Amino acid sequence: MKLTFWGAAQQVTGSMHLVELEGGTKILIDCGLDYENKKDFEQNNAKFPFDPSELDLLILTHSHIDHSGNIPNLIKQGFSGLIVCSPPTLELSDYLLQDSLNIQMMEIRKRRKQYYRKKNKKSSSNLPQPLYTKKHINEMIDLTTVLEIGELFHFNDELQLFFKPAGHILGAVSVCLEVKEKGTVKRIGFTGDLGNFNSKLVPDPEPFSNIDYLVSESTYGGRQHITDSRKAEEVLLEEVIETCVNKKGKLVIPAFSVGRTQAILFTLNQLFQEGKLPNINIYTDSPLAIRSTKIYQFNLSYLNDEAKQFQHKHGSLFSFPLLNTVENEKESEYLSVSTEPCVIVSAAGMVEGGRIQMHVRNNVSHEANTILIAGFCAEGTLGDRLLKGQDFVEIERRQRAVKAKILRTDVFSAHPDHNQLLNYFQASNKGSLKQIYLVHGELDQMKKLAADVRNIEVLTPFKGQSFELD
Ligand SMILES: [Zn+2]
């Protein structure tokens, strides 16, 4: 069989790996958007380096856009095979892809205005277009079959597969392909994105056993989580008391709509039910996060024991009297300038775009406030610039004084760090593991991770690199 890396190769986004079997079956693992470089977005995503109509099967590990975001375009360009994912991934993907299309349309409207201004005419030729339309999202849903974790899926005489829990976010899975070739069975594992161990809501990632090859994410390779002996509950409670009670300020928490928002709201609910949370309003302000939170609530069987026990005892994971959902943009604007001491959880996590940018803009210059960065921020994003500790930060072309306290915590991280990845590799190696291919990471960090792996060959493939696996 041949394995080719067409995305997330020596970079983080655009996950897409092609497996071609001797009997002719062609399988794609994930089909994510590559948004590593905004300028090259169209060039990197519009066309595929293979014929989509020749693919038989697409396996989707989880709903994040860097893994799922180009599937509707794959369909637009001829893919009509089967898509397999977990049931929560299918539900979340529907919302996330719609959201991704809305973001593309906003960008396109901006560019069209520029185009008309430049050309000074209302010509429609060469106008920027979105990668796909709503129709292709609907077609994706129609082509999908859901597979539960642990069930064996027989695709044809040369391929069967099964999922393992990956942690990370609701419904995320690692996938094992069992390939029958030349009378023997070879097993190849794809981690998808793995979760941090002991995360809120989601179970721990489960290592493979008895695999021959492993394709692994390496987002936090070479990095350790900030050591914090405190639990997530303690970190949040301390900041709510310090900022909202003692200083009468606002605690603003940028959080991705799927995953981190739910972990934070659940933790606040735990504090409330224990009678520890002060009488401070909590606002969740992201339409996508509100919809995703409902999907978490309805997929309890995919959550960890702590979440199940909490649900059993309190009847809900997320609903408690202090939690308010912000329904529309007007309310959101009002909240961003109000002086009520409160907690605001809003998207997106790296403070790039979305409603969080307005909350940060209107609150960053007040000493009483705190901005709590709860996850990885890529270089150059507003979250990253805030963390650099500068006195002024540019938001929407204006310099704003940074007077709020800027804090960072890794207690809500959605990826394993360097040591956790090494432990995962060790647990996955029962003697037969021949090679590990690292993807979904920066090359320098991958090299640090590879250097610490003992007794197994570790490779860092470049985009388009192929390997014969035998
Ligand atoms: Zn992910």
Side-chain angles (χ1 to χ4, degrees):
M1 80 184 110
K2 188 166 131 189
L3 168 64
T4 309
F5 295 91
W6 284 119
Q10 302 184 358
Q11 65 173 45
V12 175
T13 66
S15 281
M16 188 162 66
H17 316 305
L18 178 66
V19 181
E20 294 163 275
L21 307 188
E22 288 204 335
T25 309
K26 291 187 180 180
I27 311 132
L28 198 64
I29 316 291
D30 288 336
C31 184
L33 279 184
D34 179 338
Y35 42 85
E36 216 74 7
N37 188 340
K38 231 180 171 182
K39 276 192 198 128
D40 299 334
F41 179 82
E42 223 159 87
Q43 194 190 324
N44 287 339
N45 294 292
K47 295 263 181 296
F48 293 93
F50 46 79
D51 181 355
S53 69
E54 287 184 359
L55 297 173
D56 301 288
L57 175 66
L58 167 66
I59 300 165
L60 175 60
T61 60
H62 67 290
S63 59
H64 276 154
I65 286 301
D66 59 332
H67 293 254
S68 68
N70 218 7
I71 297 176
N73 185 26
L74 192 79
I75 290 166
K76 184 177 155 189
Q77 298 198 32
F79 174 76
S80 61
L82 187 70
I83 302 172
V84 178
C85 67
S86 74
T89 295
L90 178 60
E91 282 187 67
L92 289 168
S93 295
D94 192 6
Y95 286 135
L96 276 158
L97 288 168
Q98 188 58 54
D99 186 65
S100 174
L101 179 59
N102 291 343
I103 293 168
Q104 283 180 52
M105 288 311 295
M106 262 158 46
E107 185 63 28
I108 279 167
R109 270 182 224 116
K110 245 194 272 170
R111 283 171 52 203
R112 282 181 178 176
K113 266 188 202 165
Q114 287 166 357
Y115 176 87
Y116 283 133
R117 226 175 281 143
K118 257 193 212 157
K119 297 271 168 187
N120 204 21
K121 59 172 185 177
K122 295 215 176 308
S123 155
S124 61
S125 59
N126 297 326
L127 274 176
Q129 302 291 336
L131 292 171
Y132 53 84
T133 65
K134 177 85 174 84
K135 169 180 168 265
H136 303 110
I137 301 177
N138 293 339
E139 284 176 20
M140 174 202 160
I141 311 284
D142 291 343
L143 290 174
T144 303
T145 290
V146 291
L147 179 67
E148 297 285 351
I149 285 172
E151 273 180 22
L152 193 62
F153 183 78
H154 181 86
F155 185 68
N156 60 21
D157 287 348
E158 57 178 350
L159 175 71
Q160 49 186 18
L161 60 102
F162 61 88
F163 290 157
K164 277 189 168 284
H168 190 54
I169 61 164
L170 176 72
V173 296
S174 303
V175 58
C176 181
L177 305 186
E178 289 190 347
V179 177
K180 210 188 270 178
E181 270 181 2
K182 297 171 195 147
T184 60
V185 175
K186 286 277 170 286
R187 291 180 183 85
I188 167 164
F190 292 82
T191 63
D193 281 4
L194 297 170
N196 191 4
F197 285 75
N198 301 315
S199 283
K200 286 288 169 192
L201 297 171
V202 289
D204 284 345
E206 210 176 277
F208 292 104
S209 53
N210 204 21
I211 48 169
D212 301 285
Y213 300 94
L214 177 66
V215 177
S216 175
E217 70 118 315
S218 55
T219 319
Y220 263 80
R223 297 188 184 98
Q224 305 291 354
H225 288 145
I226 300 170
T227 41
D228 195 333
S229 53
R230 296 172 304 165
K231 286 162 67 179
E233 292 92 310
E234 294 168 302
V235 172
L236 274 188
L237 184 59
E238 220 167 88
E239 275 322 306
V240 174
I241 291 174
E242 171 66 15
T243 301
C244 308
V245 179
N246 296 349
K247 297 202 287 185
K248 306 261 181 293
K250 284 154 121 175
L251 174 59
V252 179
I253 310 178
F256 290 109
S257 301
V258 181
R260 197 149 305 136
T261 294
Q262 290 73 30
I264 290 166
L265 297 183
F266 176 64
T267 308
L268 289 165
N269 194 9
Q270 286 181 306
L271 288 167
F272 175 82
Q273 300 298 349
E274 289 166 15
K276 291 177 181 166
L277 197 64
N279 197 23
I280 294 290
N281 274 319
I282 318 288
Y283 294 94
T284 170
D285 184 13
S286 148
L288 180 60
I290 293 166
R291 284 195 282 266
S292 308
T293 302
K294 286 184 185 145
I295 298 178
Y296 267 71
Q297 181 67 58
F298 291 130
N299 281 282
L300 212 62
S301 64
Y302 278 80
L303 301 180
N304 63 22
D305 288 344
E306 184 192 32
K308 285 175 190 157
Q309 282 158 16
F310 187 90
Q311 168 71 25
H312 185 70
K313 197 166 168 199
H314 301 287
S316 169
L317 298 174
F318 306 106
S319 100
F320 57 106
L322 295 176
L323 180 63
N324 306 273
T325 53
V326 177
E327 299 294 340
N328 54 51
E329 279 180 43
K330 269 238 144 348
E331 270 183 48
S332 180
E333 270 175 52
Y334 177 77
L335 177 65
S336 78
V337 292
S338 89
T339 52
E340 178 197 359
C342 62
V343 179
I344 300 170
V345 184
S346 182
M350 299 189 197
V351 208
E352 280 296 296
R355 291 183 183 176
I356 187 63
Q357 197 149 316
M358 177 178 60
H359 292 297
V360 169
R361 185 185 71 206
N362 290 334
N363 291 288
V364 72
S365 302
H366 300 279
E367 277 171 10
N369 300 334
T370 298
I371 295 165
L372 177 64
I373 308 273
F376 179 73
C377 289
E379 182 82 24
T381 56
L382 180 50
D384 174 59
R385 288 182 282 131
L386 286 167
L387 284 170
K388 292 215 159 97
Q390 294 156 352
D391 292 339
F392 289 87
V393 67
E394 189 184 309
I395 307 176
E396 289 158 18
R397 294 183 296 282
R398 263 189 62 192
Q399 294 291 328
R400 320 264 167 177
V402 181
K403 295 200 173 150
K405 181 164 79 169
I406 312 293
L407 259 189
R408 190 188 147 192
T409 177
D410 275 339
V411 291
F412 292 104
S413 174
H415 289 275
D417 68 4
H418 184 84
N419 287 345
Q420 289 179 352
L421 280 167
L422 291 175
N423 291 339
Y424 179 94
F425 297 157
Q426 206 168 27
S428 291
N429 184 17
K430 298 277 168 10
S432 61
L433 184 54
K434 288 181 196 162
Q435 265 160 355
I436 299 174
Y437 302 92
L438 296 181
V439 293
H440 204 285
E442 292 153 2
L443 185 58
D444 288 352
Q445 307 302 120
M446 283 181 182
K447 282 183 177 162
K448 287 181 197 164
L449 180 62
D452 281 352
V453 178
R454 302 274 162 259
N455 306 324
I456 313 164
E457 188 182 14
V458 183
L459 301 164
T460 54
F462 55 81
K463 188 172 179 173
Q465 194 170 6
S466 288
F467 297 85
E468 283 295 339
L469 311 184
D470 48 26

